[in-house]
Amino acid sequence: GENLELLGSGELVGLALKNGEDEAISVERGAPMEGASSDHASFMQAGVPAVFIAAGDFSRIHTADDTPEFVSAELMGASAVLGIALLDTLAAR
C-alpha cells in the first residue's frame, strides 16, 4: 500500500489518528475488511480495545508473493512512530 490505515476500536483509532496528525504522518481510518480480519479482531471480540495499522494493499498477504521486497521501509517506520506515540498517549492517561 501507499498510505497507512487504521482499523479497530473507535477510541484507539481516534487517538492514533490524532497522533498521526501530531507527528505529521499521513494516516486515515480504514474500512473494515469484509470477510477477513487480523490479530486485532480476537482482542476486540474479547472486549479488549485494539488497533490494527495497515498499508491498505492486502493482495499479497499469505501468498507466495508475500516477501520482504514489498514492504515499504518508510511506512514501516511511520507505523512504529505511530505505535509508540499511541503508547505514550495511553501511558500519560
Side-chain angles (χ1 to χ4, degrees):
E2 296 182 19
N3 303 324
L4 291 181
E5 297 179 11
L6 301 171
L7 303 166
S9 306
E11 181 183 8
L12 285 182
V13 169
L15 289 172
L17 287 169
K18 173 73 169 94
N19 291 140
E21 183 179 307
D22 293 346
E23 298 289 336
I25 296 170
S26 179
V27 61
E28 59 190 40
R29 186 179 304 270
M33 297 180 284
E34 191 170 318
S37 66
S38 192
D39 298 335
H40 72 292
S42 297
F43 289 97
M44 291 176 59
Q45 288 173 348
V48 178
V51 65
F52 175 60
I53 303 172
D57 179 7
F58 300 108
S59 65
R60 292 183 184 92
I61 293 177
H62 303 303
T63 72
D65 292 327
D66 194 358
T67 57
E69 70 260 19
F70 294 111
V71 175
S72 164
E74 181 179 308
L75 291 179
M76 184 66 76
S79 296
V81 170
L82 190 61
I84 291 167
L86 180 57
L87 290 172
D88 284 345
T89 297
L90 294 171
R93 290 177 138 194

Coordinates of all heavy atoms in Angstrom, one line a residue:
G1 N 0.8 -1.2 0.0 CA 0.0 0.0 0.0 C 0.9 1.3 0.0 O 2.1 1.2 0.1
E2 N 0.2 2.4 -0.2 CA 0.9 3.6 -0.2 C 0.6 4.5 1.0 O 1.3 5.5 1.2 CB 0.6 4.4 -1.5 CG 1.0 3.6 -2.7 CD 0.7 4.3 -4.0 OE1 0.5 5.6 -4.0 OE2 0.7 3.7 -5.1
N3 N -0.5 4.2 1.7 CA -0.9 5.1 2.9 C -1.2 4.2 4.1 O -1.5 3.0 3.9 CB -2.1 5.9 2.6 CG -2.0 6.7 1.4 OD1 -0.9 7.3 1.1 ND2 -3.0 6.9 0.6
L4 N -1.0 4.7 5.3 CA -1.4 4.0 6.5 C -2.8 4.1 6.7 O -3.4 5.2 6.5 CB -0.6 4.5 7.7 CG 0.9 4.2 7.7 CD1 1.5 4.7 9.0 CD2 1.2 2.7 7.5
E5 N -3.4 3.0 7.1 CA -4.8 3.0 7.5 C -5.0 2.3 8.9 O -4.2 1.4 9.2 CB -5.7 2.1 6.5 CG -5.7 2.7 5.1 CD -6.4 1.8 4.1 OE1 -7.1 0.9 4.6 OE2 -6.4 2.1 2.9
L6 N -6.0 2.8 9.6 CA -6.2 2.2 11.0 C -7.6 1.6 11.0 O -8.5 2.1 10.6 CB -6.2 3.4 12.0 CG -4.9 4.2 12.1 CD1 -5.1 5.4 13.0 CD2 -3.7 3.3 12.6
L7 N -7.6 0.4 11.6 CA -8.8 -0.3 11.9 C -8.8 -0.7 13.4 O -7.8 -0.8 14.0 CB -8.9 -1.6 11.1 CG -8.7 -1.5 9.6 CD1 -8.5 -2.9 8.9 CD2 -10.0 -0.9 9.0
G8 N -10.0 -0.9 13.9 CA -10.1 -1.3 15.3 C -11.1 -0.5 16.1 O -12.1 0.0 15.6
S9 N -10.8 -0.5 17.4 CA -11.7 0.2 18.4 C -11.7 1.7 18.2 O -10.7 2.3 18.0 CB -11.2 -0.1 19.8 OG -11.1 -1.5 20.0
G10 N -12.9 2.2 18.2 CA -13.1 3.6 17.8 C -12.2 4.6 18.6 O -11.6 5.5 18.0
E11 N -12.1 4.4 19.9 CA -11.4 5.4 20.7 C -9.9 5.3 20.4 O -9.2 6.3 20.2 CB -11.6 5.1 22.2 CG -10.8 6.1 23.1 CD -10.9 5.8 24.6 OE1 -11.5 4.8 25.0 OE2 -10.3 6.7 25.3
L12 N -9.4 4.0 20.3 CA -7.9 3.9 19.9 C -7.6 4.4 18.5 O -6.6 5.1 18.3 CB -7.5 2.4 20.1 CG -7.3 1.9 21.5 CD1 -6.8 0.4 21.4 CD2 -6.4 2.7 22.3
V13 N -8.5 4.1 17.6 CA -8.3 4.6 16.2 C -8.3 6.2 16.3 O -7.4 6.8 15.7 CB -9.4 4.1 15.3 CG1 -9.3 4.8 13.9 CG2 -9.1 2.6 15.1
G14 N -9.2 6.8 17.0 CA -9.3 8.2 17.1 C -8.0 8.8 17.7 O -7.5 9.8 17.2
L15 N -7.5 8.2 18.8 CA -6.2 8.6 19.4 C -5.1 8.5 18.4 O -4.2 9.4 18.3 CB -5.9 7.9 20.7 CG -6.8 8.1 21.9 CD1 -6.5 7.1 23.0 CD2 -6.7 9.5 22.4
A16 N -5.0 7.4 17.7 CA -3.9 7.2 16.7 C -4.0 8.1 15.6 O -3.0 8.6 15.1 CB -4.0 5.7 16.2
L17 N -5.2 8.5 15.1 CA -5.4 9.5 14.1 C -4.8 10.8 14.6 O -4.1 11.5 13.8 CB -6.8 9.6 13.7 CG -7.4 8.5 12.8 CD1 -8.9 8.6 12.7 CD2 -6.8 8.4 11.5
K18 N -5.1 11.2 15.8 CA -4.6 12.4 16.4 C -3.1 12.4 16.5 O -2.4 13.4 16.2 CB -5.3 12.7 17.7 CG -4.7 13.9 18.5 CD -5.2 15.2 17.9 CE -4.8 16.3 18.8 NZ -3.6 17.0 18.5
N19 N -2.6 11.2 16.9 CA -1.1 11.1 17.0 C -0.5 11.2 15.6 O 0.6 11.8 15.5 CB -0.7 9.7 17.6 CG -1.0 9.6 19.1 OD1 -1.5 8.6 19.5 ND2 -0.8 10.6 19.8
G20 N -1.1 10.7 14.6 CA -0.6 10.8 13.2 C -0.5 12.3 12.8 O 0.4 12.7 12.2
E21 N -1.6 13.0 13.1 CA -1.6 14.4 12.8 C -0.5 15.2 13.6 O 0.2 15.9 13.0 CB -3.0 15.0 13.3 CG -3.2 16.5 12.9 CD -4.6 16.9 13.4 OE1 -5.5 16.3 13.0 OE2 -4.6 17.9 14.1
D22 N -0.3 14.8 14.8 CA 0.7 15.5 15.7 C 2.1 15.2 15.1 O 3.0 16.0 15.2 CB 0.6 15.1 17.1 CG -0.6 15.6 17.8 OD1 -1.3 16.5 17.2 OD2 -1.0 15.0 18.9
E23 N 2.3 14.0 14.6 CA 3.6 13.5 14.1 C 3.8 13.7 12.6 O 4.8 13.3 12.1 CB 3.8 12.0 14.4 CG 3.8 11.7 15.9 CD 5.0 12.1 16.7 OE1 6.1 12.3 16.0 OE2 4.9 12.3 17.9
A24 N 2.9 14.4 12.0 CA 2.9 14.6 10.5 C 3.0 13.3 9.7 O 3.7 13.3 8.7 CB 4.0 15.6 10.2
I25 N 2.2 12.3 10.2 CA 2.2 11.1 9.5 C 0.8 11.0 8.8 O -0.2 11.2 9.4 CB 2.3 9.9 10.5 CG1 3.7 9.9 11.1 CG2 2.0 8.5 9.8 CD1 3.8 8.9 12.3
S26 N 0.8 10.7 7.5 CA -0.4 10.6 6.7 C -1.1 9.3 7.1 O -0.5 8.2 6.8 CB -0.1 10.7 5.2 OG -1.3 10.5 4.5
V27 N -2.2 9.3 7.7 CA -2.9 8.1 8.2 C -4.4 8.4 8.1 O -4.8 9.5 8.3 CB -2.5 7.7 9.6 CG1 -2.7 8.7 10.6 CG2 -3.0 6.4 10.0
E28 N -5.2 7.4 7.8 CA -6.6 7.6 7.7 C -7.3 6.4 8.3 O -6.7 5.3 8.5 CB -7.1 7.8 6.3 CG -6.7 6.6 5.4 CD -6.9 7.0 3.9 OE1 -6.7 8.1 3.5 OE2 -7.4 6.1 3.2
R29 N -8.6 6.6 8.6 CA -9.4 5.5 9.1 C -9.7 4.5 8.0 O -10.2 5.0 6.9 CB -10.7 6.0 9.7 CG -11.6 5.0 10.4 CD -12.8 5.7 11.0 NE -12.6 6.8 11.9 CZ -12.4 6.7 13.2 NH1 -12.5 5.5 13.8 NH2 -12.2 7.7 13.9
G30 N -9.4 3.3 8.2 CA -9.6 2.3 7.1 C -11.0 1.7 7.2 O -11.7 1.8 8.2
A31 N -11.5 1.1 6.1 CA -12.8 0.4 6.1 C -12.6 -1.0 6.6 O -11.5 -1.6 6.4 CB -13.3 0.4 4.7
P32 N -13.5 -1.5 7.4 CA -13.4 -2.9 7.9 C -13.2 -3.9 6.7 O -13.7 -3.7 5.6 CB -14.8 -3.1 8.6 CG -15.3 -1.8 8.9 CD -14.8 -0.9 7.8
M33 N -12.4 -4.9 7.0 CA -12.1 -5.9 6.0 C -13.3 -6.9 5.9 O -13.5 -7.6 6.9 CB -10.8 -6.6 6.3 CG -9.6 -5.7 6.3 SD -8.1 -6.6 6.7 CE -8.2 -6.8 8.4
E34 N -14.1 -6.8 4.9 CA -15.2 -7.7 4.7 C -14.8 -9.2 4.6 O -14.0 -9.5 3.7 CB -16.1 -7.3 3.5 CG -17.4 -8.0 3.5 CD -18.3 -7.4 2.5 OE1 -18.4 -6.1 2.3 OE2 -19.0 -8.2 1.8
G35 N -15.3 -10.0 5.4 CA -14.9 -11.4 5.3 C -13.5 -11.8 5.8 O -13.1 -12.9 5.6
A36 N -12.8 -10.9 6.4 CA -11.5 -11.1 6.9 C -11.2 -10.3 8.1 O -11.9 -9.4 8.4 CB -10.5 -10.8 5.8
S37 N -10.1 -10.6 8.8 CA -9.7 -9.8 9.9 C -8.2 -10.1 10.2 O -7.6 -10.8 9.4 CB -10.5 -10.1 11.2 OG -10.3 -11.5 11.6
S38 N -7.7 -9.5 11.2 CA -6.3 -9.8 11.6 C -6.3 -10.0 13.1 O -7.3 -10.2 13.8 CB -5.4 -8.7 11.2 OG -4.1 -9.0 11.3
D39 N -5.1 -10.0 13.7 CA -4.9 -10.4 15.1 C -5.8 -9.5 16.0 O -6.2 -9.9 17.1 CB -3.5 -10.3 15.5 CG -2.6 -11.3 14.7 OD1 -3.1 -12.3 14.3 OD2 -1.4 -11.0 14.6
H40 N -6.0 -8.2 15.6 CA -6.7 -7.3 16.5 C -8.1 -7.7 16.7 O -8.7 -7.4 17.8 CB -6.7 -5.9 15.9 CG -7.6 -5.7 14.7 ND1 -7.3 -6.4 13.5 CD2 -8.7 -5.1 14.5 CE1 -8.2 -6.1 12.6 NE2 -9.1 -5.3 13.2
A41 N -8.7 -8.5 15.8 CA -10.1 -8.9 15.9 C -10.4 -9.8 17.1 O -11.4 -9.6 17.8 CB -10.6 -9.6 14.6
S42 N -9.5 -10.7 17.4 CA -9.7 -11.5 18.6 C -9.7 -10.7 19.9 O -10.5 -11.0 20.8 CB -8.5 -12.6 18.6 OG -8.6 -13.4 17.5
F43 N -8.8 -9.7 20.0 CA -8.8 -8.9 21.2 C -10.2 -8.1 21.3 O -10.8 -8.1 22.4 CB -7.7 -7.9 21.1 CG -6.3 -8.5 21.4 CD1 -5.5 -8.9 20.3 CD2 -5.9 -8.8 22.6 CE1 -4.3 -9.5 20.5 CE2 -4.7 -9.4 22.9 CZ -3.9 -9.7 21.8
M44 N -10.6 -7.6 20.2 CA -11.9 -6.8 20.2 C -13.0 -7.7 20.6 O -13.9 -7.3 21.3 CB -12.1 -6.1 18.9 CG -11.1 -5.0 18.7 SD -11.2 -4.2 17.1 CE -12.9 -3.6 17.1
Q45 N -13.1 -8.9 20.1 CA -14.1 -9.9 20.4 C -14.1 -10.2 21.9 O -15.2 -10.5 22.5 CB -14.0 -11.2 19.6 CG -14.4 -11.0 18.1 CD -14.1 -12.2 17.3 OE1 -13.4 -13.1 17.7 NE2 -14.6 -12.1 16.0
A46 N -13.0 -10.2 22.5 CA -12.8 -10.5 24.0 C -13.1 -9.2 24.8 O -12.9 -9.2 26.0 CB -11.5 -11.0 24.3
G47 N -13.4 -8.1 24.1 CA -13.7 -6.8 24.9 C -12.4 -6.0 25.2 O -12.5 -5.1 26.0
V48 N -11.3 -6.3 24.5 CA -10.1 -5.6 24.7 C -9.9 -4.7 23.6 O -9.8 -5.1 22.4 CB -8.9 -6.6 24.8 CG1 -7.6 -5.8 25.0 CG2 -9.0 -7.6 26.0
P49 N -9.8 -3.3 23.8 CA -9.6 -2.4 22.7 C -8.3 -2.7 22.0 O -7.3 -3.1 22.6 CB -9.5 -1.0 23.4 CG -10.2 -1.2 24.7 CD -9.9 -2.7 25.1
A50 N -8.4 -2.6 20.7 CA -7.2 -2.9 19.8 C -7.2 -2.0 18.6 O -8.3 -1.5 18.2 CB -7.3 -4.3 19.4
V51 N -6.1 -1.8 18.0 CA -5.9 -1.1 16.8 C -5.0 -1.8 15.8 O -4.0 -2.5 16.3 CB -5.4 0.4 17.0 CG1 -4.0 0.4 17.6 CG2 -5.5 1.2 15.8
F52 N -5.3 -1.8 14.6 CA -4.6 -2.5 13.5 C -4.0 -1.4 12.6 O -4.8 -0.7 12.0 CB -5.5 -3.5 12.8 CG -4.9 -4.2 11.7 CD1 -3.8 -5.0 11.8 CD2 -5.5 -4.2 10.4 CE1 -3.2 -5.7 10.7 CE2 -5.0 -4.8 9.3 CZ -3.8 -5.6 9.5
I53 N -2.7 -1.4 12.4 CA -2.1 -0.4 11.4 C -1.8 -1.2 10.2 O -1.1 -2.2 10.2 CB -0.9 0.2 12.0 CG1 -1.2 0.9 13.4 CG2 -0.3 1.2 11.0 CD1 0.1 1.4 14.1
A54 N -2.3 -0.8 9.1 CA -2.1 -1.5 7.8 C -1.7 -0.5 6.7 O -1.9 0.8 6.9 CB -3.4 -2.2 7.4
A55 N -1.3 -1.0 5.6 CA -0.9 -0.1 4.5 C -1.9 -0.3 3.3 O -1.6 0.2 2.2 CB 0.5 -0.4 4.0
G56 N -3.0 -1.0 3.5 CA -4.1 -1.0 2.5 C -4.0 -2.0 1.5 O -5.0 -2.4 1.0
D57 N -2.9 -2.5 1.0 CA -2.8 -3.5 0.0 C -2.6 -4.8 0.6 O -1.6 -5.2 1.0 CB -1.6 -3.2 -1.0 CG -1.5 -4.2 -2.1 OD1 -2.4 -5.0 -2.3 OD2 -0.5 -4.1 -2.8
F58 N -3.7 -5.6 0.6 CA -3.7 -6.9 1.2 C -3.6 -8.0 0.1 O -3.7 -9.2 0.4 CB -5.0 -7.2 2.0 CG -5.1 -6.2 3.1 CD1 -6.1 -5.2 3.0 CD2 -4.3 -6.2 4.2 CE1 -6.2 -4.3 4.1 CE2 -4.5 -5.3 5.3 CZ -5.4 -4.3 5.2
S59 N -3.3 -7.7 -1.1 CA -3.3 -8.6 -2.2 C -2.2 -9.7 -2.1 O -2.4 -10.8 -2.7 CB -3.2 -7.9 -3.6 OG -1.9 -7.3 -3.7
R60 N -1.1 -9.4 -1.4 CA 0.0 -10.4 -1.3 C 0.0 -11.2 0.0 O 0.7 -12.2 0.1 CB 1.3 -9.7 -1.5 CG 1.5 -9.1 -2.8 CD 2.9 -8.5 -2.9 NE 3.1 -7.9 -4.2 CZ 2.9 -6.6 -4.4 NH1 2.4 -5.8 -3.5 NH2 3.0 -6.1 -5.6
I61 N -0.8 -10.8 1.0 CA -0.8 -11.5 2.3 C -1.1 -13.0 2.1 O -2.1 -13.3 1.5 CB -1.8 -10.8 3.2 CG1 -1.2 -9.4 3.5 CG2 -1.9 -11.6 4.5 CD1 -2.1 -8.6 4.4
H62 N -0.3 -13.8 2.7 CA -0.5 -15.2 2.8 C -0.4 -15.8 1.4 O -1.1 -16.8 1.1 CB -1.7 -15.6 3.5 CG -1.8 -15.1 4.9 ND1 -0.9 -15.4 5.8 CD2 -2.7 -14.3 5.5 CE1 -1.2 -14.8 7.0 NE2 -2.3 -14.1 6.8
T63 N 0.4 -15.2 0.5 CA 0.6 -15.8 -0.9 C 2.1 -16.0 -1.0 O 2.9 -15.5 -0.2 CB 0.1 -14.9 -2.0 OG1 1.0 -13.8 -2.1 CG2 -1.3 -14.5 -1.8
A64 N 2.5 -16.6 -2.1 CA 4.0 -16.8 -2.4 C 4.6 -15.4 -2.7 O 5.9 -15.3 -2.6 CB 4.1 -17.7 -3.6
D65 N 3.8 -14.4 -3.0 CA 4.4 -13.1 -3.2 C 4.5 -12.2 -2.0 O 4.9 -11.0 -2.0 CB 3.5 -12.3 -4.2 CG 3.6 -12.9 -5.6 OD1 4.7 -13.4 -6.0 OD2 2.6 -12.9 -6.3
D66 N 4.2 -12.8 -0.8 CA 4.3 -12.1 0.5 C 5.8 -12.1 0.9 O 6.2 -12.9 1.8 CB 3.4 -12.8 1.5 CG 3.2 -12.0 2.7 OD1 3.7 -10.9 2.9 OD2 2.4 -12.4 3.6
T67 N 6.6 -11.3 0.3 CA 8.0 -11.3 0.5 C 8.5 -9.9 1.0 O 7.8 -8.9 0.7 CB 8.8 -11.7 -0.7 OG1 8.4 -10.9 -1.8 CG2 8.4 -13.2 -1.1
P68 N 9.7 -9.8 1.6 CA 10.2 -8.5 2.2 C 10.3 -7.4 1.2 O 10.2 -6.2 1.5 CB 11.5 -8.9 2.7 CG 11.4 -10.3 3.0 CD 10.6 -10.9 2.0
E69 N 10.6 -7.7 -0.1 CA 10.8 -6.5 -1.0 C 9.5 -5.7 -1.3 O 9.6 -4.6 -1.8 CB 11.4 -7.0 -2.4 CG 10.4 -7.8 -3.2 CD 10.7 -9.3 -3.2 OE1 11.3 -9.8 -2.2 OE2 10.2 -10.0 -4.1
F70 N 8.4 -6.2 -0.8 CA 7.2 -5.5 -1.0 C 6.8 -4.7 0.3 O 5.8 -4.0 0.3 CB 6.0 -6.4 -1.4 CG 6.2 -7.0 -2.7 CD1 6.4 -8.4 -2.9 CD2 6.1 -6.2 -3.9 CE1 6.6 -8.9 -4.1 CE2 6.3 -6.8 -5.1 CZ 6.6 -8.1 -5.3
V71 N 7.7 -4.7 1.3 CA 7.4 -4.0 2.5 C 8.1 -2.6 2.3 O 9.2 -2.5 2.0 CB 8.1 -4.7 3.7 CG1 7.9 -3.8 5.0 CG2 7.4 -6.0 3.9
S72 N 7.3 -1.5 2.6 CA 7.8 -0.2 2.5 C 8.5 0.2 3.8 O 7.8 0.3 4.8 CB 6.7 0.8 2.2 OG 7.0 2.1 2.5
A73 N 9.8 0.4 3.7 CA 10.5 0.8 4.9 C 10.0 2.1 5.5 O 9.9 2.3 6.7 CB 12.0 1.0 4.6
E74 N 9.6 3.0 4.6 CA 9.0 4.3 5.1 C 7.7 4.1 5.8 O 7.5 4.7 6.9 CB 8.8 5.2 3.9 CG 8.2 6.6 4.2 CD 8.0 7.5 3.0 OE1 8.9 7.6 2.2 OE2 6.9 8.0 2.9
L75 N 6.8 3.3 5.3 CA 5.6 3.0 6.0 C 5.8 2.2 7.3 O 5.1 2.4 8.3 CB 4.6 2.3 5.1 CG 4.0 3.2 3.9 CD1 3.0 2.4 3.1 CD2 3.3 4.4 4.5
M76 N 6.7 1.3 7.3 CA 7.1 0.5 8.5 C 7.6 1.4 9.6 O 7.2 1.3 10.7 CB 8.1 -0.6 8.1 CG 8.4 -1.5 9.3 SD 7.0 -2.5 9.8 CE 7.1 -3.7 8.5
G77 N 8.4 2.4 9.2 CA 8.9 3.4 10.2 C 7.8 4.2 10.7 O 7.7 4.5 11.9
A78 N 6.9 4.7 9.8 CA 5.8 5.6 10.2 C 4.9 4.8 11.1 O 4.4 5.3 12.1 CB 5.1 6.1 9.0
S79 N 4.7 3.5 10.9 CA 3.9 2.6 11.8 C 4.5 2.6 13.1 O 3.8 2.6 14.2 CB 3.7 1.2 11.2 OG 3.1 1.3 9.9
A80 N 5.8 2.4 13.2 CA 6.5 2.3 14.5 C 6.3 3.6 15.3 O 6.0 3.6 16.5 CB 7.9 2.0 14.3
V81 N 6.6 4.7 14.6 CA 6.4 6.1 15.3 C 5.0 6.2 15.8 O 4.7 6.7 16.9 CB 6.8 7.2 14.3 CG1 6.4 8.6 14.9 CG2 8.3 7.1 14.0
L82 N 4.0 5.8 14.9 CA 2.6 6.0 15.3 C 2.3 5.1 16.5 O 1.6 5.5 17.4 CB 1.7 5.6 14.1 CG 0.2 5.9 14.2 CD1 0.0 7.4 14.4 CD2 -0.5 5.4 12.9
G83 N 2.8 3.8 16.5 CA 2.5 2.9 17.6 C 3.1 3.4 18.9 O 2.5 3.4 20.0
I84 N 4.3 3.9 18.8 CA 5.0 4.5 20.0 C 4.3 5.7 20.5 O 4.1 5.9 21.8 CB 6.5 4.8 19.8 CG1 7.2 3.4 19.6 CG2 7.1 5.6 20.9 CD1 8.6 3.6 19.0
A85 N 3.8 6.6 19.6 CA 3.1 7.8 20.0 C 1.8 7.4 20.7 O 1.4 8.0 21.7 CB 2.8 8.7 18.8
L86 N 1.1 6.4 20.2 CA -0.1 5.9 20.8 C 0.1 5.4 22.2 O -0.6 5.7 23.2 CB -0.8 4.9 19.9 CG -2.1 4.3 20.5 CD1 -3.2 5.4 20.7 CD2 -2.7 3.3 19.5
L87 N 1.2 4.6 22.4 CA 1.5 4.1 23.7 C 1.9 5.2 24.7 O 1.5 5.1 25.8 CB 2.7 3.1 23.6 CG 2.4 1.8 22.9 CD1 3.7 1.0 22.7 CD2 1.4 0.9 23.7
D88 N 2.6 6.2 24.2 CA 2.9 7.4 25.0 C 1.6 8.1 25.5 O 1.5 8.5 26.6 CB 3.8 8.4 24.3 CG 5.3 7.9 24.2 OD1 5.6 7.0 25.0 OD2 6.0 8.5 23.4
T89 N 0.7 8.2 24.6 CA -0.6 8.9 24.9 C -1.4 8.1 25.9 O -1.9 8.7 26.9 CB -1.5 9.0 23.6 OG1 -0.8 9.9 22.7 CG2 -2.8 9.6 23.9
L90 N -1.4 6.8 25.8 CA -2.1 5.9 26.7 C -1.4 5.9 28.1 O -2.1 5.9 29.1 CB -2.3 4.5 26.2 CG -3.2 4.4 24.9 CD1 -3.1 3.0 24.3 CD2 -4.6 4.8 25.2
A91 N -0.1 5.9 28.1 CA 0.6 5.9 29.3 C 0.5 7.2 30.1 O 0.5 7.2 31.4 CB 2.1 5.7 29.1
A92 N 0.2 8.3 29.4 CA 0.0 9.6 30.1 C -1.4 9.8 30.7 O -1.6 10.8 31.4 CB 0.3 10.7 29.1
R93 N -2.2 8.9 30.5 CA -3.6 9.0 31.0 C -3.7 8.7 32.5 O -3.0 7.9 33.0 CB -4.6 8.0 30.3 CG -4.8 8.5 28.8 CD -5.6 7.5 28.1 NE -6.6 8.2 27.3 CZ -7.7 7.7 26.8 NH1 -7.9 6.4 27.0 NH2 -8.5 8.4 26.1

